[in-house]
Amino acid sequence: MTNINGKAYAMNAITPMKPWKTPLLKLFFLVLGAVKPLQKDLKNLSFIHFARWVCIGRNAFPRLSDEQPTEELKYDYLLFISNFNGTWNQYIDAFSAVLYKGLDAIWLWSEKYPGSRPVTAFKRYISFVQFDTDYYYNAYPHSATNDVKAAIRVQSAFTKFAQTSQSLSPADFQEAWLSFQAAVSPDLGATGIAPIGT
Amino acid sequence: MANVSGSTYGLTTLSPIIEDNKLNLCHSMQIRWYLSQLPRDHRSPFAQLSSTYLARLVVMDDVVFVGHPACEEHLKSRYLLFETNFDGDLNTYLRRMATEAGEFVNAVWKHCVGFPGTDTVDAFITYMKTCQIETTFFFADVNDQTVESTLNALKTQAALAHFMEKHEGLPPADLQAAFGKFVERLHNAPPLPRGGDESRNIAQERRPHD
């Protein structure tokens, strides 16, 4: 399935918005970008590598030639692109359970958005506005976002330990090794292929 | 600028696809056929573009009609949606696309309106920037690394877990000596392949580490 590469799922969704609402949504995103604590839940979920929302004005679809017909759209469009770990159902469930306020603040401007709760109506809406990916590349398909974060912590501790430990006496090394081991052990979980799910 | 989060750049482009009713296989379908055959692992053209974390290509046939009372409307062109997340700056990345993955870029974007080819790199960069749509909000969970440093960290993580398991209970002097050799071996080990390799089909416990 081309929406999936290793542990990452590529999601694309597009929703129509009345043009007068677009500046309000952009203002919300401006605040969300500037006030980092507002991103706390998104960050804490820790299963999204990268995500983006793109407001496309009704006159902003690129026109590269006079022969290309001019788009005549009444709506602006909100394009949502996400790279997440886990299954589609887990993702939407988590969004609905944890990020419902933020999601509603983003999508309430879109036509016929039902709200993120109850989740069944939300899932129906997302599946309706989602479209499939034709090609998906992932530089580290075996690793989820949490694996990456853990590996970075391990690398940092490992670099420090490797620099300082070789000049120690064997007894001091042993002591330092045990401390190092205790510090990095929680971050040494195995990576590998993802479980099958929908 | 919302296209950037930390050291990560999020590029989104929409390139109109050529419409030609005289063809047996329309341009959008030719793109789809080509992409369906393109490797997604370490042989991917994006693995050549070594600063790419995740990238996708999508043929967008139309916008969605969500039902009444919303208005039904349709696009007059199909668009090729290109989304990529990479470390570094846009000009360098686009230049590398043209020079290091030119065959792939030409094979895909030759089906798009106004594509100038990659022979003139500046013209290609200008074309891609014309197709670029500014990101309104970009979220990158880890945004202070490079692809290389991330792969290096993942390599260290896997190798260290194996080392600890293998050397459990050694006398301190032996452990210290083994660790010194391990550090050197890890330093000289080849990087993990970008995009993964055939080992993705091998269970973790059966993979060689060092």
Side-chain angles (χ1 to χ4, degrees):
Chain A
M1 185 177 180
T2 51
N3 288 337
I4 298 172
N5 188 343
K7 286 183 174 170
Y9 187 109
M11 182 175 176
N12 318 295
I14 192 162
T15 51
M17 290 186 302
K18 290 194 171 97
W20 66 266
K21 296 178 178 178
T22 306
L24 298 172
L25 178 59
K26 284 186 173 176
L27 182 65
F28 172 76
F29 279 128
L30 197 67
V31 174
L32 187 62
V35 185
K36 298 295 177 194
L38 294 176
Q39 299 177 31
K40 193 180 74 176
D41 287 340
L42 195 58
K43 196 109 182 153
N44 287 346
L45 276 177
S46 201
F47 66 173
I48 302 169
H49 290 287
F50 303 101
R52 73 189 66 174
W53 285 266
V54 184
C55 294
I56 310 173
R58 61 197 182 287
N59 299 317
F61 283 82
R63 185 163 183 257
L64 274 291
S65 154
D66 290 340
E67 291 166 18
Q68 182 191 342
T70 308
E71 301 293 355
E72 294 173 0
L73 298 169
K74 293 187 178 70
Y75 290 117
D76 290 347
Y77 283 85
L78 176 62
L79 178 64
F80 173 59
I81 300 173
S82 181
N83 303 272
F84 62 88
N85 307 129
T87 68
W88 186 91
N89 272 305
Q90 287 169 336
Y91 186 62
I92 304 297
D93 284 342
F95 258 23
S96 176
V98 180
L99 293 175
Y100 58 96
K101 285 182 190 163
L103 288 191
D104 289 347
I106 291 169
W107 268 293
L108 74 87
W109 313 101
S110 290
E111 294 297 288
K112 297 201 73 173
Y113 174 68
S116 57
R117 288 177 170 185
V119 72
T120 44
F122 180 53
K123 281 185 177 176
R124 193 183 310 132
Y125 185 78
I126 295 295
S127 60
F128 193 67
V129 298
Q130 185 178 349
F131 52 106
D132 288 329
T133 300
D134 288 287
Y135 181 82
Y136 191 31
Y137 168 79
N138 183 354
Y140 30 83
H142 293 148
S143 305
T145 314
N146 272 331
D147 297 325
V148 171
K149 288 177 175 175
I152 291 165
R153 287 192 294 268
V154 168
Q155 180 69 59
S156 173
F158 174 79
T159 303
K160 277 182 208 154
F161 182 73
Q163 281 168 352
T164 56
S165 63
Q166 285 304 299
S167 58
L168 299 174
S169 68
D172 288 344
F173 178 86
Q174 172 80 345
E175 194 176 325
W177 172 256
L178 290 174
S179 301
F180 169 67
Q181 207 170 22
V184 299
S185 288
D187 288 329
L188 291 180
T191 59
I193 54 174
I196 296 168
T198 60
Chain B
M1 187 169 67
N3 294 325
V4 175
S5 173
S7 60
T8 308
Y9 194 102
L11 173 66
T12 313
T13 67
L14 282 173
S15 302
I17 298 170
I18 300 166
E19 295 290 344
D20 186 348
N21 296 331
K22 294 174 195 146
L23 295 174
N24 287 333
L25 196 62
C26 66
H27 286 281
S28 60
M29 206 58 193
Q30 289 187 51
I31 293 174
R32 284 191 158 125
W33 268 112
Y34 177 81
L35 293 176
S36 70
Q37 309 293 320
L38 198 64
R40 302 194 306 157
D41 55 14
H42 62 106
R43 298 164 297 163
S44 165
F46 290 104
Q48 301 292 318
L49 298 168
S50 54
S51 56
T52 310
Y53 291 101
L54 291 123
R56 77 184 68 181
L57 286 154
V58 186
V59 172
M60 198 169 98
D61 293 303
D62 202 352
V63 291
V64 175
F65 170 52
V66 292
H68 294 291
C71 299
E72 181 173 355
E73 60 182 6
H74 298 280
L75 294 174
K76 293 186 175 175
S77 298
R78 293 183 176 89
Y79 291 85
L80 176 66
L81 168 64
F82 175 46
E83 181 249 4
T84 181
N85 308 274
F86 58 89
D87 63 70
D89 71 281
L90 179 60
N91 279 348
T92 305
Y93 188 78
L94 293 176
R95 191 167 292 280
R96 289 189 66 192
M97 276 183 78
T99 55
E100 297 174 35
E103 188 183 344
F104 154 73
V105 170
N106 281 296
V108 173
W109 272 272
K110 72 180 179 186
H111 299 288
C112 295
V113 177
F115 174 62
T118 54
D119 289 344
T120 309
V121 175
D122 288 341
F124 170 71
I125 292 174
T126 302
Y127 166 80
M128 291 300 274
K129 286 185 174 177
T130 305
C131 295
Q132 182 175 12
I133 308 288
E134 178 85 11
T135 299
T136 312
F137 180 75
F138 182 38
F139 173 78
D141 200 356
V142 177
N143 65 3
D144 58 352
Q145 300 288 314
T146 63
V147 175
E148 188 177 2
S149 69
T150 304
L151 287 169
N152 199 36
L154 288 165
K155 182 179 76 171
T156 300
Q157 182 192 41
L160 185 63
H162 186 67
F163 176 85
M164 285 181 171
E165 187 184 350
K166 198 173 158 187
H167 295 83
E168 183 75 36
L170 269 188
D174 294 348
L175 180 63
Q176 189 172 20
F179 184 73
K181 285 180 190 166
F182 167 71
V183 171
E184 195 180 328
R185 203 163 54 242
L186 186 64
H187 181 71
N188 295 325
L192 292 180
R194 287 171 169 78
D197 59 14
E198 57 279 3
S199 73
R200 65 197 301 170
N201 298 321
I202 302 172
Q204 172 73 17
E205 62 274 15
R206 288 174 45 221
R207 281 187 209 142
H209 289 279
D210 59 351

